[in-house]
Amino acid sequence: MTLLRSRAGIGLSLGLILVFVSLLRCFADPAPAIHYAPVENLEQADVALIDRAEHDIDIAAYVLTDWPFMRALIRAAGRGVRVRIYMDGRRIGEREPTPLFRELLANPAIETRFKRAGSPLMHLKSYQIDGRWLRTGAANFSASGLKRQDNDLLVIDSQAAAEVFKRRFEAIFAQGETLPLAATEQAP
């Protein structure tokens, strides 16, 4: 009888542990959404995510030339979303900025800073939205990077992941500088 009670107690304990572990999974962050180009158009995933923003977007970009992506950032700023962009300054001098990029820089609701000259390459392709979503991956914010090259894009629905990125973003953004192009066009 004692052996039977002991086994029943162990079985009940194991059952409760399994229920507890199962409940913990319900509170865990969902699995990241992973997308691959060129099989998928990553531009659509980025634009859809930016269009969901309600409060803030912090983006670290090595390249920012994709027009639908830039338009989505401008729309977000128009909705009152705080948009901050940090870029590698060397990319700007390679060619004349497009009118849409100039519009992005001139938008007073979008704060843009660039990595200081002589610093190591800034090669991130990531952003956080509303302290909830983190987008990262190999794809640059360019038409070829988002649509034609073998690249990945991960969207992580996690406050913890977004917060880790945001802390790093705050540190690098604080060290950034406004380039003359941005300074003249952001002034009212």
Side-chain angles (χ1 to χ4, degrees), residues 102-181:
R102 287 181 176 278
E103 180 183 341
L104 191 79
L105 291 177
N107 190 318
I110 299 174
E111 189 176 358
T112 307
R113 294 190 188 167
F114 299 87
K115 189 161 191 172
R116 295 185 180 280
S119 299
L121 182 67
M122 200 301 292
H123 205 246
L124 291 170
K125 301 117 176 156
S126 305
Y127 57 84
Q128 75 80 31
I129 293 182
D130 296 340
R132 175 178 175 183
W133 294 290
L134 172 64
R135 182 275 200 205
T136 193
N140 280 309
F141 303 110
S142 67
S144 60
L146 295 171
K147 296 187 264 188
R148 294 188 292 277
Q149 300 169 356
D150 285 319
N151 278 316
D152 61 356
L153 178 156
L154 285 81
V155 178
I156 304 166
D157 185 350
S158 166
Q159 289 180 345
E163 183 57 35
V164 169
F165 174 80
K166 190 164 188 141
R167 280 195 304 270
R168 179 64 186 146
F169 182 87
E170 294 291 348
I172 61 178
F173 194 74
Q175 296 173 4
E177 63 185 349
T178 303
L179 291 182
L181 173 68

Side-chain angles (χ1 to χ4, degrees), residues 5-22:
R5 282 188 192 159
S6 176
R7 285 187 179 169
I10 291 172
L12 180 60
S13 296
L14 287 174
L16 288 173
I17 289 171
L18 288 174
V19 168
F20 180 71
V21 168
S22 296

